[in-house]
Amino acid sequence: MNSDTPSSSAGGGGTGSADTTGARRNSKRPKYSRFTQQELPACKPILTPKWVISAFLLVSVVFIPIGVVSLFASRDVVEIVDRYDSECIPADARNNKVGFIQSSQVKTCNRTLRVPKHMKKPIYVYYQLDNFYQNHRRYVKSRSDQQLRSPGNEDDTSACKPEDNANGMPIVPCGLVAWSLFNDTYDFTHNNQQLAVNKREISWKSDRDRKFGKKVYPKNFQNGTLIGGARLDPLKPLSEQEDLIVWMRTAALPTFRKLYGKIETDLQAGDVISVTLENNYNTYSFDGKKKLVLSTTSWLGGKNDFLGIAYLTVGGLCFFLAMVFIIIYLVKPRQLGDPSYLSWNRNPGSH
Amino acid sequence: MDSNSNSYSQLQNENSSLPDFIRNSSSQRSTSSIQSFHSKASGGHSVKEDARLVYINDPEKTNEKFEFAKNSIRTGKYSILTFLPRNLFEQFHRVAYIYFLVIAILNQLPQLAVFGRGASIMPLAFVLLVTAVKDGYEDYRRHRSDNIENNRLAWVLVNDQFQQKKWKDMRVGEIVKISANETLPCDMVLLSTSDTTGVAYIQTTNLDGESNLKTRYAKQETQMKNPEKEKISGLIKCEKPNRNIYGFQANMEIDGKRVSLGPSNIILRGCELKNTSWALGIVVYAGGETKAMLNNSGAPSKRSRLETHMNREIIYLSIFLVVLCTIVSVCHGAWLRRHKDDLVLMQFYRKKDYSEPKVDDYNYYGWGMEIFFVFLMSVIVFQIMIPISLYISMELVRVGQAYFMIRDDRMYDKASNSRFQCRALNINEDLGQIKYVFSDKTGTLTENKMEFQCASIGGVDYSGGKAISEDEQTGYSLRVEGQVFRPKMKVKVDPELLSLSKQKHTDEGRHVHDFFIALAACNTIVPLTVETSDPALKLIDYQGESPDEQALVYAAAAYGFMLIERTSGHIVIDIQGERQRYNVLGLHEFDSDRKRMSVILGCPDNTFKVFVKGADTTMFNVIDRSLNSNTVKATEDHLHLYSSKGLRTLVVGMRDLSASEFEQWQSSYERASTALMGRAALLRKVAYNVETSLSILGASAIEDKLQQGVPEAIESLRNAGIKVWVLTGDKQETAISIGYSSKLLTSKMTQIVVNNNSKESCKKSLDDALVMCKKLTTDSDATRRGSGARKTEIALIIDGTSLVHILDTELEEQLFNLSSKCTVVLCCRVAPLQKAGIVALMKNRANEMTLAIGDGANDVSMIQMADVGIGISGQEGRQAVMASDFAMAQFRFLVPLLFVHGHWNYQRMSYMILYNVYRNAVFVLVLFWYALFTSFTLTTAITDWSSVLYSVIYTALPTIVVGVLDKDLSRTTLLRYPQLYGTGQRQESYNGKLFWVTIMDTLWQSIAAFFVPLLAYWGSDVDRSSLGDLWTIAVVILVNIHLAMDVVRWYWITHAAIWGSIVATFICVMVIDVLPFLPGYWAFFHIAGTKLFWACLFGITIAALVPRFVVKIFIQYFRPDDIQIARELEKVENSRESRDAEIEMNPIFDPPRR
């Protein structure tokens, strides 16, 4: 019927039959596919009360045990923390701590630690710095990863200001991070016996293997006017300077620990350990605290109750919500998909 | 807006004076007024002042000053040289891009370099590149089509010989020869044609889409000349190029005579010459100055309402960004103050204590500058707070949505073989918020296919035609010398009338005879003979500008009065097998003032007759009631009956002219038609004189068929709370009857009619109507409270004359108040610009979304004015489509378009905007919290590359996929409950409240994501890169799970996108961490080996999402919205169906249970 209309073949061109075959060939009808018609098979989950309650219960069932287990793990960790920054300043120098630390006096200091509980090996020895912004933008950027990797990039120190050159020569390793390398040292004695601290493999293997070059040796380091921290043995390649490698993994937060070494013997409860430390590192100028930490680990890491508490809270909350919902469901049930809830059915004629 | 109201007032002035150019159409459409407006506004009497001078056949002289464009066209925007600067310039028109450019530049300053150089430029460069490639490709295609056009050939007169010339080399002033079926290369004034009378037929399909033939005339002064033999020279003064395709004003000086030229003497580029073996023309406008090219501008760019609202929220986000940056910089200032003395010693700002020889400030710029730098740096770090990726995602999503709209099988029209078209790509989501639909009537609601239905002849109603089914109709055909001629269209005939038409000698028979002669003769139809595959059968195709006339001529042919030939001087009508030649002595064309047309025929029996046909209102004034008062009365009754059925009626009358009357008429007619000044007015006067004391022949009724599914569509639209307004050029009765048949009006409605001729009476009737409205609504309020009866619905019917007095005056306010109380508004007899005025009234005052839908050139202004303009790509041409944002073939497609696609688009886009804001803000906030722990120096734990890739790779795809594919409800549900459309009208899915709720949620989620790892790792030996990787992955998982929680429909693509993004993030983080020159080398592998990492990830995801989940389910349970209920209904019904199916199947098949 439509092909008979005057407009569709107006113009007096081809005859009717040619037109229709042409039209069929050139049909613009969209090709049918489930995709183009938006009819792909789909799953449309809907939050029925049953689902909601099960979801909450499931979360609480998973979270509460995890919380309990992590709390236990955290409690199992034995940790000895000893803050020594102010104690290790002689009483007469306490009103000018900075002056003391910058002087060339002997800064040896003795500390005694009591082991509260049995500590299983390996016992990790950390130094902890508080209020030390190793994540300060200027500090973080002041390093040259290229230089650390290969001896050829020795001159690549542009990012290292102000510790890029000393006496006209590039510094290896350059930059503030390396320059401020921590230089307190600890010696442990237990029952008058030297307690061996293993300082090998305290850094990441990946760093030793590929980030810090085996052929890059410290050069011109701490030769400037101001000494920032530890010196390095110029005969050892960077890949073996593990303290440096640990230090160069800059900490994320202003309170952080760095691994100093590992004690590979068990310590018994009540053991007394005396520590001889060289208090060299200047944290006094910015009120930074220094702590010595001996700690065991659990499967979850160090001593930190937060995660366990968080898990317990979330799990408990979800359990509570599940209960609330069950009560609501029982007290005030709502029929799912009841058309009388549709707005135009609730108050007729209002639209 | 301003320009529009101006032009509109011009139109009002225009109403009094009649246009010079009148379309010879008896249809009731008001197209003529747009033409009149244009011809006046653009041409007028300005020809003299700054006219274009074209020397005929002297292109050298014509183009002396090089002021006229050559005929080559260039639609491409760029050339190879200008592409880069121009494209970039256009791209940077977007504020967002400038913002990111500024940030990228800031980042290049060494003091501010937060990100690596590559990382900071990459996202912007990527976006620019993608857009540039897209633009370049489009432009390449335009260039290619330009080339094809420019290299077409035409015959041009060079040195008194016609030679082939490329289109691009043609110049103004040249004489061109066009053969039949050729396309015109430029705008030309006709000089002569193969027809001795100088007639040429052209088809303007390419220009305005009208497929019928139009006649154009060469002036007698030039018709006789043959330029190859004698040199033609002359001068044409014509108006400057303009885009009005219906107007042309010029005069031609030739052989010392001055001839005026009008729109009927010009043929335009893009048209085709038909039925004329050749035509000569002189080029007056070429290339880019042709009317076709000037009209070639695309649709005006509109901005979606959602985007406008979004811009407001973007401002909030910028404020938020400034607040964050201020906090950081102020804190940094305080920190510097507190450590003022330490700065000397601190390695970060070595100030004075080093290097004895000189004081070395290591990049310390003083307190104030440091704060300022920190502020700028924080802007760089937090830049994605303003979601640049959102703009790109929105564009991609719209492309995807458009893809599905275009491919929708349910919006494909088989009859016209046309798909849905998306012409504007930035207002998809507006389709979900429409509150007002303004619809044209003819061609939009109706098919604009006129069908002769019945007639009242001599006071007798013949309307039995419907009784006979079409198969039995062989139709009238004619045998001449073994060949059969048959009209192309069949018409239902009334058997009684058919037998009457064969009797010649009864009184009734003569009446019928005259009636059909009038139908066959009183028109401007051109019969064409069309060959068919059967050589013995030829079809007669009637071509004309008015579909009404076509229908009438086909009807006459069906009753045996077949129009066979028309030349300018005579017509041949085959009356029951007998060929009769009538001399057409004069023709008074239709004009909107007389509303009738007449033809003066010299009959074979040497009598002179005038046949008139026209609208009943004016025809009864010129019909002599004393002659046959019974017939007149009966006809009036029949007319009433017909128009109440929604039929378009015409009254036909005639008069015998005595010889003296004829001579008197002839002399005045000749004088008038050769007059140079005021020809139209003179002709009109002549017509008035001859069209008097007619005797009535009868009336015809034509059905303007409603398009398929229109009543149902209108009902659905009304159920959805959309107000449908019909704006039509038709007269009131026809409009009302169409209103009834399309279910726009119902018998329950109270009708308020406003048709007045003065401002005062308009004011009065508006006041009365308002009072009545108030009374009705309060009444119905009372009754509703009592009995729960439905509200009384009010329909307003207002006509164009009243609107002239109302629009642009203080009465607008009253009209607005009144119409907002009405369910339906019908505007009849409105001019095109009035349509736009009405749309503008509602759009500006109601602050609601408006949609205009129409098919003709007269709807263009309305389509461009409305928030969403839809063109019907049907019968009447492409002008409406060219101006529209969307085009489709049928009115009823509005229902799936709005309810299904519009709803989906709106829901998807609203969610996408909220989600993108959340997604970027949560990341920025995590960066911000960390800045508080780095002594406010904006160190980022998250690597630069992760920051950059976050919105490009880590989280980009899922939101786009969800934005394109997710469906909150199924198509069937949306169509079943049109009320669901209200969500968009009420802006339920995107509003200020939701935005702030989202921001609160974001705040909590960022806190959870940041502080869980912070506290879990506090005081441990974790390094910055490892913790950064944890935060990166935590945030990415969080935002993806968040999205997953809100997805309604899970396709495999959704699964792939969401889970794939998480996997991609892991891969990217790993890749970044295996690059040994970055500080974070291997960090991911270390931290991912610890159980704490996974415990944190898991904990963050759950803890962050619990509040959102709880709020979501509480709202769903206690205050479910319609969408939620409908979704549950879907689910419940689905499961019920499958359960039912299972119960039925069980006894027979016993299907395996899962």
Side-chain angles (χ1 to χ4, degrees), chain B residues 520-724:
Chain B
C522 187
N523 53 50
T524 54
I525 295 291
V526 182
L528 298 177
T529 313
V530 181
E531 309 274 329
T532 61
S533 45
D534 177 6
L537 179 71
K538 288 194 173 151
L539 292 179
I540 294 186
D541 184 6
Y542 291 122
Q543 286 280 337
E545 293 187 20
S546 148
D548 296 67
E549 286 189 349
Q550 283 180 333
L552 291 177
V553 178
Y554 277 117
Y559 286 101
F561 297 78
M562 199 190 278
L563 178 70
I564 294 190
E565 197 185 319
R566 172 184 291 275
T567 65
S568 43
H570 70 273
I571 52 173
V572 174
I573 303 177
D574 184 286
I575 301 171
Q576 311 295 354
E578 227 178 286
R579 285 201 173 210
Q580 304 267 18
R581 186 187 156 111
Y582 291 84
N583 289 320
V584 180
L585 301 167
L587 189 116
H588 293 287
E589 292 183 338
F590 179 88
D591 69 51
S592 50
D593 199 36
R594 276 158 54 233
K595 297 195 178 94
R596 55 178 180 259
M597 74 172 292
S598 57
V599 60
I600 287 91
L601 293 184
C603 299
D605 53 358
N606 285 330
T607 54
F608 301 106
K609 282 177 181 163
V610 53
F611 289 97
V612 188
K613 79 171 199 292
D616 46 5
T617 45
T618 57
M619 280 300 284
F620 281 115
N621 298 336
V622 295
I623 280 174
D624 189 349
R625 285 171 184 265
S626 60
L627 281 177
N628 208 336
S629 60
N630 283 343
T631 317
V632 173
K633 194 145 178 35
T635 312
E636 274 181 310
D637 289 345
H638 293 152
L639 281 172
H640 193 72
L641 178 76
Y642 295 159
S643 63
S644 71
K645 282 188 201 159
L647 302 176
R648 301 154 75 91
T649 55
L650 283 172
V651 177
V652 184
M654 67 162 287
R655 181 158 69 101
D656 286 311
L657 292 180
S658 65
S660 63
E661 271 178 314
F662 172 70
E663 268 162 31
Q664 194 193 335
W665 167 81
Q666 198 173 29
S667 61
S668 52
Y669 181 75
E670 261 166 29
R671 213 175 320 120
S673 50
T674 49
L676 278 179
M677 295 290 290
R679 192 189 305 165
L682 284 172
L683 278 173
R684 201 179 315 130
K685 212 168 146 199
V686 177
Y688 269 119
N689 287 335
V690 76
E691 293 165 352
T692 52
S693 53
L694 304 170
S695 70
I696 192 161
L697 283 174
S700 64
I702 296 168
E703 188 186 8
D704 188 2
K705 270 182 86 178
L706 275 186
Q707 280 190 10
Q708 206 189 338
V710 165
E712 294 83 355
I714 287 186
E715 207 177 359
S716 303
L717 291 177
R718 292 245 312 273
N719 283 338
I722 297 173
K723 292 190 173 177
V724 182

Side-chain angles (χ1 to χ4, degrees), chain B residues 28 41 129 166 178 189 283 315 420 472 546 770 790 1034:
Chain B
Q28 304 292 318
L129 185 76
K166 282 184 180 168
I178 307 292
V189 167
V283 182
I315 291 173
F420 182 80
E472 295 168 38
S546 148
L770 269 172
R790 277 180 72 90

Side-chain angles (χ1 to χ4, degrees), chain B residues 205 207-210 421 423 873 876-883:
Chain B
T205 321
L207 202 57
D208 62 6
E210 299 189 24
Q421 293 172 47
R423 293 176 41 80
S873 52
E876 214 178 316
R878 298 209 27 92
Q879 282 220 312
V881 172
M882 295 303 282

Side-chain angles (χ1 to χ4, degrees), chain A residues 28 135 137 210 252 311 343, chain B residues 419 930 938-939 1081 1095 1122:
Chain A
K28 286 190 198 150
N135 57 15
R137 158 157 237 104
R210 286 180 295 271
Y311 263 81
S343 63
Chain B
R419 293 180 181 187
Y930 188 64
L938 296 160
T939 320
Y1081 179 68
D1122 294 339

Side-chain angles (χ1 to χ4, degrees), chain B residues 362-636:
Chain B
Y362 166 53
N363 287 352
Y364 184 75
Y365 302 97
W367 201 59
M369 278 312 264
E370 284 297 329
I371 292 178
F372 179 63
F373 282 149
V374 165
F375 185 85
L376 289 183
M377 274 156 70
S378 50
V379 173
I380 297 173
V381 173
F382 303 150
Q383 57 176 303
I384 62 164
M385 192 76 191
I386 313 292
I388 190 183
S389 55
L390 178 56
Y391 289 95
I392 298 134
S393 317
M394 274 169 88
E395 257 172 38
L396 290 174
V397 164
R398 284 181 185 136
V399 170
Q401 291 175 344
Y403 173 85
F404 284 117
M405 287 197 275
I406 292 166
R407 298 294 160 114
D408 193 339
D409 199 35
R410 291 159 187 86
M411 294 201 289
Y412 166 78
D413 184 42
K414 213 164 141 195
S416 58
N417 187 24
S418 54
R419 293 180 181 187
F420 182 80
Q421 293 172 47
C422 267
R423 293 176 41 80
L425 261 182
N426 41 3
I427 54 170
N428 286 352
E429 58 272 15
D430 276 353
L431 291 172
Q433 295 188 281
I434 301 298
K435 185 80 188 172
Y436 287 93
V437 168
F438 297 92
S439 173
D440 174 40
K441 189 186 72 68
T442 317
T444 307
L445 296 180
T446 63
E447 286 190 34
N448 202 18
K449 275 184 208 156
M450 303 303 164
E451 262 177 43
F452 180 81
Q453 282 298 332
C454 46
S456 155
I457 303 172
V460 186
D461 172 30
Y462 301 97
S463 45
K466 278 178 190 164
I468 301 169
S469 75
E470 252 180 273
D471 309 334
E472 295 168 38
Q473 302 268 328
T474 47
Y476 182 81
S477 59
L478 180 70
R479 272 168 211 285
V480 183
E481 291 154 11
Q483 290 216 315
V484 180
F485 290 88
R486 184 183 289 163
K488 201 168 162 219
M489 255 199 357
K490 287 174 189 162
V491 178
K492 301 164 191 164
V493 290
D494 180 292
E496 196 189 338
L497 185 57
L498 189 63
S499 63
L500 263 180
S501 67
K502 288 182 179 143
Q503 307 169 5
K504 241 184 158 177
H505 304 291
T506 59
D507 228 22
E508 279 173 321
R510 222 168 312 136
H511 251 304
V512 172
H513 180 267
D514 284 341
F515 180 77
F516 283 120
I517 292 286
L519 294 195
C522 187
N523 53 50
T524 54
I525 295 291
V526 182
L528 298 177
T529 313
V530 181
E531 309 274 329
T532 61
S533 45
D534 177 6
L537 179 71
K538 288 194 173 151
L539 292 179
I540 294 186
D541 184 6
Y542 291 122
Q543 286 280 337
E545 293 187 20
S546 148
D548 296 67
E549 286 189 349
Q550 283 180 333
L552 291 177
V553 178
Y554 277 117
Y559 286 101
F561 297 78
M562 199 190 278
L563 178 70
I564 294 190
E565 197 185 319
R566 172 184 291 275
T567 65
S568 43
H570 70 273
I571 52 173
V572 174
I573 303 177
D574 184 286
I575 301 171
Q576 311 295 354
E578 227 178 286
R579 285 201 173 210
Q580 304 267 18
R581 186 187 156 111
Y582 291 84
N583 289 320
V584 180
L585 301 167
L587 189 116
H588 293 287
E589 292 183 338
F590 179 88
D591 69 51
S592 50
D593 199 36
R594 276 158 54 233
K595 297 195 178 94
R596 55 178 180 259
M597 74 172 292
S598 57
V599 60
I600 287 91
L601 293 184
C603 299
D605 53 358
N606 285 330
T607 54
F608 301 106
K609 282 177 181 163
V610 53
F611 289 97
V612 188
K613 79 171 199 292
D616 46 5
T617 45
T618 57
M619 280 300 284
F620 281 115
N621 298 336
V622 295
I623 280 174
D624 189 349
R625 285 171 184 265
S626 60
L627 281 177
N628 208 336
S629 60
N630 283 343
T631 317
V632 173
K633 194 145 178 35
T635 312
E636 274 181 310

